[in-house]
Amino acid sequence: NPENIQISGKGLERVGMKKLDDGIFEAYVYLQDGEYAFYEKGSKTDRHFGFSNTTLTEGTSFSALKSNKMHHIVIDFNNATSTITAVNEMALWYSAANDVVAIMNEADDHSAKWSTNYLFTPQSNDFRYKFRMTEELPDGTVKQSFFGYTSKNATNQNATTAEKYFYLFKENGMSQSDYCFKFNNRGLHADKNLLIEVDMTPAATNYTHKVTVVE
């Protein structure tokens, strides 16, 4: 199995994919019309791969599912499979509302970053939030996933909360209030304008997010 894989093609200068496990790579990447391929980084023969339907094959290429759109791609060399979806939306989920409360804006440079300015007004003394991604599959069906805290219950964050607290993990399921982060419950975030930023670029050591109080 390759140790490193990069995506290259129209508008992309060899963007690295995140290695999830031996032979398994993932990337959230913006694709235009045109041909793309997966390249083995540092390969003397410059081996490259593509896919047809869900089969990963050497010496081929692939196209965007939807032009000028963020895509989620996973390839697995262990069983020669691939999956691709178009990312339609990233949104901020608030537990008390049992719904999204802000649609996040994609970065201007089309990197896998999203942000929103959100006035947080607590409801029912609930400070729990996470993120919901909406993706479109090749057959046109839509699925949604939550990205949140590493365990079911998180502590309230504060001005000195460690960086790893903010790491994003994909939830196995779609609960209303589990695996949520928590805004600060002692005045830091309540009734404040917050800049909330999500970073899911392949270069990020861990998918993560950031909350900043905007004065």
Side-chain angles (χ1 to χ4, degrees):
N1 287 334
E3 285 298 316
N4 298 279
I5 289 291
Q6 299 173 325
I7 304 176
S8 187
K10 184 177 180 180
L12 284 182
E13 291 294 330
R14 297 220 170 186
V15 173
M17 299 187 76
K18 182 181 291 297
K19 185 176 181 180
L20 302 181
D21 205 339
D22 179 44
I24 304 175
F25 299 86
E26 178 182 56
Y28 291 90
V29 62
Y30 186 88
L31 301 179
Q32 305 176 38
D33 283 328
E35 295 294 307
Y36 296 87
F38 307 107
Y39 288 85
E40 183 177 3
K41 183 180 178 182
S43 169
K44 292 181 180 180
T45 59
D46 214 23
R47 287 202 304 161
H48 68 279
F49 308 85
F51 58 81
S52 176
N53 295 320
T54 61
T55 302
L56 184 65
T57 54
E58 188 170 352
T60 62
S61 61
F62 69 97
S63 301
L65 187 60
K66 299 180 73 173
S67 62
N68 302 316
K69 194 81 172 177
M70 186 67 66
H71 287 69
H72 177 204
I73 301 172
V74 179
I75 57 175
D76 188 342
F77 286 90
N78 299 296
N79 54 21
T81 60
S82 65
T83 62
I84 182 170
T85 62
V87 179
N88 288 340
E89 181 183 278
M90 177 68 85
L92 176 66
W93 175 273
Y94 180 37
S95 168
N98 192 24
D99 202 354
V100 298
V101 291
I103 306 301
M104 305 187 76
N105 299 310
E106 190 177 303
D108 290 339
D109 63 359
H110 300 307
S111 60
K113 295 180 180 180
W114 295 263
S115 64
T116 186
N117 284 285
Y118 175 62
L119 174 60
F120 174 56
T121 303
Q123 303 174 29
S124 305
N125 199 34
D126 192 342
F127 290 78
R128 294 170 293 182
Y129 71 95
K130 52 188 172 183
F131 302 93
R132 190 185 74 183
M133 178 181 286
T134 302
E135 301 171 75
E136 185 174 331
L137 281 65
D139 64 3
T141 60
V142 172
K143 70 173 184 177
Q144 294 178 326
S145 304
F146 280 137
F147 290 85
Y149 190 62
T150 183
S151 59
K152 282 190 174 183
N153 297 294
T155 58
N156 294 82
Q157 61 194 257
N158 55 52
T160 61
T161 298
E163 180 181 337
K164 65 180 181 180
Y165 174 96
F166 298 94
Y167 291 166
L168 297 173
F169 298 90
K170 189 173 183 178
E171 182 179 339
N172 183 19
M174 293 287 290
S175 67
Q176 175 181 344
S177 303
D178 292 339
Y179 301 99
C180 284
F181 302 96
K182 287 185 179 179
F183 292 124
N184 182 272
N185 64 344
R186 295 184 182 275
L188 179 62
H189 295 141
D191 301 310
K192 300 290 181 64
N193 283 306
L194 306 177
L195 172 61
I196 303 172
E197 302 167 280
V198 167
D199 184 352
M200 299 181 74
T201 56
T205 304
N206 294 90
Y207 298 144
T208 191
H209 78 288
K210 182 179 181 181
V211 178
T212 306
V213 178
V214 180
E215 300 297 340

